């Protein structure tokens, strides 16, 4: 994956999927030469028509920030495998790689970090002006437990949200059944590895 800088001091560059384990901030994503797949979870009244029509319905609000997540497992952590209220429909959203990298290049870190920003006021100004923001959260394993490295969340607002919905979209797929299937496998694995009850 091509490198891409981020306004406001991301601290790392967007790099290829296969990075050394010592790299703490990594963008892991299903991707092709021209597209990147990100995940979102919505209430059925948004998610189902989006998957059916291949675009977000009119009720999807372009004037609100929307967060996209390249990590499937981080999305599962956030939406509880598609069981949380108003997050019951999990979407795999394939967008153009150019759009994804544009968002990174125009993004600002969601938090102030000493040594990366000139001062708190400068960061605050950039954050307010930036059409996208970057947030790093612990990546998750299949049991949704935190891993030592970080996973990207990318918030899109204003121009970025409009471009995401109207120009970057390539396809939208309902992957809720996949989420439920993987969750069922994890539950069965846990049941099979549950410690035996102590003898009375």
């Amino acid at each position: 994956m091509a490198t891409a800088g981020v306004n406001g001091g991301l601290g790392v560059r967007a790099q290829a999927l296969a990075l050394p384990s010592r790299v703490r901030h990594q963008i892991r994503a299903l991707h092709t030469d021209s597209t990147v797949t990100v995940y979102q979870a919505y209430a059925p009244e948004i998610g189902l028509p989006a998957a059916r029509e291949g675009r977000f319905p009119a009720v999807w609000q372009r004037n609100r920030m929307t967060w996209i997540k390249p990590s499937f497992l981080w999305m599962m952590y956030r939406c509880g495998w598609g069981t949380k209220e108003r997050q019951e429909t999990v979407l795999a959203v394939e967008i153009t790689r150019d759009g994804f990298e544009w968002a990174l290049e125009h993004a600002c870190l969601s938090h102030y970090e000493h040594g990366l920003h000139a001062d708190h006021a400068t960061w605050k100004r950039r954050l307010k002006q930036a059409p996208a923001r970057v947030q790093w959260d612990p990546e998750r394993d299949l049991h949704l437990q935190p891993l030592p490295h970080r996973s990207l969340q990318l918030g899109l607002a204003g121009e970025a949200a409009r471009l995401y919905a109207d120009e970057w979209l390539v396809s939208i797929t309902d992957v809720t059944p996949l989420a439920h299937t993987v969750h069922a496998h994890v539950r069965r694995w846990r049941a099979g590895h549950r410690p035996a009850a102590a003898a009375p």
Side-chain angles (χ1 to χ4, degrees):
M1 194 168 187
T3 60
V6 176
N7 180 27
L10 176 58
V12 296
R13 295 168 72 94
Q15 297 181 347
L17 293 179
L19 289 174
S21 59
R22 67 179 180 272
V23 178
R24 190 161 181 257
H25 296 79
Q26 302 180 8
I27 298 176
R28 293 176 178 79
L30 178 65
H31 68 94
T32 69
D33 288 342
S34 59
T35 66
V36 176
T37 297
V38 297
Y39 298 93
Q40 295 190 289
Y42 287 102
E45 59 264 29
I46 293 179
L48 293 179
R52 184 172 59 248
E53 303 296 332
R55 61 180 183 272
F56 291 111
V59 294
W60 192 87
Q61 298 179 355
R62 286 165 173 73
N63 60 347
R64 295 183 59 182
M65 177 166 286
T66 188
W67 289 88
I68 59 176
K69 304 157 184 70
S71 166
F72 177 77
L73 287 176
W74 205 98
M75 184 71 261
M76 295 305 96
Y77 167 74
R78 180 69 180 83
C79 72
W81 299 100
T83 63
K84 291 185 180 179
E85 186 176 4
R86 303 198 65 76
Q87 298 186 64
E88 300 94 340
T89 307
V90 184
L91 302 178
V93 184
E94 189 179 21
I95 62 174
T96 65
R97 190 160 175 158
D98 286 345
F100 184 76
E101 293 186 355
W102 183 95
L104 288 177
E105 289 166 1
H106 291 82
C108 178
L109 268 179
S110 62
H111 64 279
Y112 170 75
E113 192 160 326
H114 179 71
L116 291 178
H117 305 104
D119 52 54
H120 193 276
T122 301
W123 163 75
K124 195 73 173 177
R125 184 168 58 254
R126 286 179 175 172
L127 183 68
K128 189 174 182 178
Q129 296 171 347
R133 61 183 60 179
V134 160
Q135 182 169 310
W136 293 102
D137 294 289
E139 180 61 285
R140 301 285 161 167
D141 63 16
L142 272 170
H143 302 282
L144 306 186
Q145 296 302 305
L147 292 169
H149 47 270
R150 297 275 167 164
S151 181
L152 173 72
Q153 284 195 80
L154 190 56
L156 308 175
E159 181 184 9
R162 181 189 62 77
L163 290 170
Y164 171 65
D166 298 335
E167 297 187 23
W168 300 345
L169 278 183
V170 175
S171 68
I172 302 178
T173 305
D174 184 352
V175 292
T176 311
L178 173 64
H180 292 171
T181 297
V182 175
H183 190 202
H185 284 308
V186 171
R187 289 201 308 268
R188 283 196 292 271
W189 185 93
R190 286 177 179 167
H193 289 77
R194 193 170 293 150

